[in-house]
Amino acid sequence: MRRRRPARRPKENSDALRALIAGELRPGEVYSAPGLATRFGVSATPVREALLDLAREGLVDVVPDKGYRVTAVSERQLDEYTHVRALIGILTTAALAGTADPMALAGLRPVAEEIVAAATAGDLVAYIDADQRFHLGLLARAGNAHLVEVVRDMRRRSRLYGLTALAEQGRLRASAEEHLDSSTRFARDAEAVRAVMTRHLGHVRGLWAAP
């Protein structure tokens, strides 16, 4: 049985809700905003806004008088998204180790703890929201706003198909704890950061894959 999530304000966690919805939709099926709102335990307004955003980005098609149908994302596209994120994320985070302001990096640990807490509670919207703030916040320490926006776009186009299953199986916490591991290494060990981020991105690619 799916865990009901607390209602959120329309603009709260919008990217997280979009990512979760995109991961739940299956090609060829038609979904309504009220039906998805009931499924996720949130109000219909943020769900409708998320679906409209996905439609503008070409990730779902509007089916008049019925709802929304997801467009397919190929395994090759997901591999390409992963490759771009690896080129940017792994190299950038490894370069930050030992060079970035330790106080700035330390500010990410509470966000990593939020990720673990959300995984433990099975709150997927909060998990995705904190995960995005962690990774984009880390990349922002490099001082390149364009780089951050490229990764944000990759995240929006990916689909976390396996996230719900991992949460229901109790396996999401292990992935969440990788953020804590990496946050403790930023100030001193570039190679360890590279290894942790490489492993973590591999797990993320597994989540993107359709079952």
Side-chain angles (χ1 to χ4, degrees):
M1 180 176 179
R2 292 184 182 275
R3 185 173 306 183
R4 185 174 178 81
R5 300 167 182 83
R8 290 171 166 78
R9 294 186 299 276
K11 296 298 183 182
E12 185 178 7
N13 295 334
S14 59
D15 281 348
L17 184 58
R18 284 167 27 155
L20 182 58
I21 289 172
E24 290 292 310
L25 303 182
R26 293 293 185 266
E29 294 187 31
V30 177
Y31 300 84
S32 69
L36 289 171
T38 299
R39 182 171 179 171
F40 297 127
V42 298
S43 65
T45 299
V47 172
R48 189 172 291 107
E49 291 182 354
L51 287 167
L52 289 174
D53 283 342
L54 292 171
R56 282 190 286 269
E57 293 167 8
L59 297 178
V60 300
D61 294 321
V62 177
V63 181
D65 300 321
K66 291 184 178 180
Y68 304 83
R69 180 185 291 115
V70 69
T71 57
V73 176
S74 69
E75 291 294 308
R76 177 171 180 173
Q77 286 174 299
L78 295 177
D79 285 337
E80 290 173 351
Y81 297 158
T82 306
H83 183 58
V84 172
R85 285 192 60 183
L87 289 174
I88 294 174
I90 295 173
L91 293 176
T92 302
T93 52
L96 285 171
T99 62
D101 179 3
M103 293 298 293
L105 293 175
L108 291 170
R109 184 166 181 84
V111 184
E113 292 171 348
E114 285 184 50
I115 298 171
V116 174
T120 303
D123 188 337
L124 300 185
V125 174
Y127 176 92
I128 297 170
D129 174 66
D131 180 76
Q132 173 162 288
R133 285 188 284 114
F134 180 89
H135 287 285
L136 297 185
L138 175 59
L139 293 175
R141 267 62 176 183
N144 188 330
H146 295 290
L147 178 150
V148 174
E149 286 307 308
V150 169
V151 174
R152 188 192 303 274
D153 183 61
M154 293 297 99
R155 293 177 66 94
R156 285 175 174 170
R157 294 176 181 278
S158 62
R159 309 237 173 116
L160 302 181
Y161 286 119
L163 198 59
T164 299
L166 278 186
E168 292 175 348
Q169 295 165 12
R171 296 165 50 204
L172 189 59
R173 183 183 173 95
S175 177
E177 288 177 343
E178 291 175 347
H179 299 82
L180 285 175
D181 186 17
S182 60
S183 68
T184 63
R185 300 174 185 268
F186 286 142
R188 63 179 187 274
D189 193 338
E191 286 307 311
V193 170
R194 185 190 302 274
V196 171
M197 295 301 292
T198 300
R199 183 173 68 250
H200 180 68
L201 190 55
H203 293 167
V204 170
R205 172 61 180 89
L207 291 177
W208 288 356

